[in-house]
């Protein structure tokens, strides 16, 4: 596993973004782990987060893109932080773009924030996590309606590796539905590989009990 992935897993734990225990998800599923990207709240956290996204995008998609599109609302700071990091790490200026929940009819009019999409733009979609693909269902038509763009792919921070609306994981469903590739900085399999029964900051983050709960969860909800 790449060094930056190991560091990102520890960063999620340190930031209290990734937690283990008992959680009820929006879907109603009872899960032994929970990720909340809203817990990234400081300047230093956002700086690091943008760098991890930039490294994953560079490794996965290369530099052949022009725009980072972050769906409102959580995608807005992600797109901004990652655009800054990409410039710092790779010397490439990419533009950020996000949608508004409500179209603005005065001043900076329209439904977009940041860059106004243009014909020929190559776009990377950026999100925190995808569990059902509903965000892409709402966002892809908005992006496609603005200009003749090419969506190069979607990047999320964590692949939960659980079923979406069918038997496949949500990321695979998005790829199949919209015809562009999907990727994550890390997967839950990589999280477990890095943390299971290994001391970190003086404690075992994923012990045998939590590992058993995660395994049981995937028996019930894991992607095929």
């Amino acid at each position: 596993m790449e060094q930056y992935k190991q560091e990102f897993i520890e960063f999620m734990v340190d930031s209290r973004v990734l937690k283990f225990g008992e959680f009820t998800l929006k879907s109603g599923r009872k899960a032994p782990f929970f990720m909340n990207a809203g817990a990234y709240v400081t300047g230093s956290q956002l700086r690091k987060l943008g760098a991890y996204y930039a490294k994953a995008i560079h490794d996965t998609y290369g530099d052949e893109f022009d725009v980072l599109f972050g769906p409102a609302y959580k995608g807005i700071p992600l797109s901004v932080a990652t655009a800054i990091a990409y410039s710092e790490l790779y010397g490439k200026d990419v533009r950020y773009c996000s949608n508004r929940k409500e179209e603005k009819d005065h001043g900076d009019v329209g439904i977009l924030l940041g860059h106004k999409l243009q014909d020929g733009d190559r776009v990377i979609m950026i999100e925190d996590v995808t569990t059902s693909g509903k965000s892409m269902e709402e966002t892809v038509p908005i992006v496609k309606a603005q200009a003749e763009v090419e969506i190069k792919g979607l990047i999320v921070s964590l692949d939960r590796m659980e079923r979406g609306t069918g038997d496949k994981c949500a990321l695979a469903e998005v790829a199949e539905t919209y015809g562009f590739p999907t990727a994550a900085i890390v997967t839950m399999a990589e999280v477990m590989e890095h943390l299971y029964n290994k001391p970190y900051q003086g404690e075992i983050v994923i012990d045998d009990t939590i590992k058993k709960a995660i395994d049981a969860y995937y028996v019930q909800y894991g992607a095929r």
Side-chain angles (χ1 to χ4, degrees), residues 177-212:
T177 300
Y178 300 105
F180 54 75
T182 59
I185 302 176
V186 293
T187 67
M188 271 305 296
E190 290 171 326
V191 170
M192 290 188 286
E193 174 191 337
H194 186 61
L195 294 178
Y196 174 53
N197 271 349
K198 296 175 183 176
Y200 175 67
Q201 303 283 43
E203 65 174 310
I204 302 296
V205 179
I206 300 180
D207 59 16
D208 289 335
T209 300
I210 293 175
K211 174 67 160 53
K212 184 177 179 181

Side-chain angles (χ1 to χ4, degrees), residues 41-75:
V41 294
T42 69
S44 62
Q45 286 174 332
L46 290 171
R47 185 182 183 89
K48 289 179 182 178
L49 181 62
Y52 290 126
Y53 267 105
K55 289 174 183 178
I57 290 170
H58 188 264
D59 277 6
T60 306
Y61 299 115
D63 290 334
E64 299 304 307
F65 71 100
D66 311 295
V67 182
L68 287 168
F69 189 96
Y73 287 105
K74 286 185 179 178

Side-chain angles (χ1 to χ4, degrees), residues 25-41:
L25 306 180
K26 187 177 180 180
S27 63
R29 295 176 182 176
K30 306 288 186 182
F33 60 92
F34 180 69
M35 186 204 155
N36 173 26
Y40 297 120
V41 294

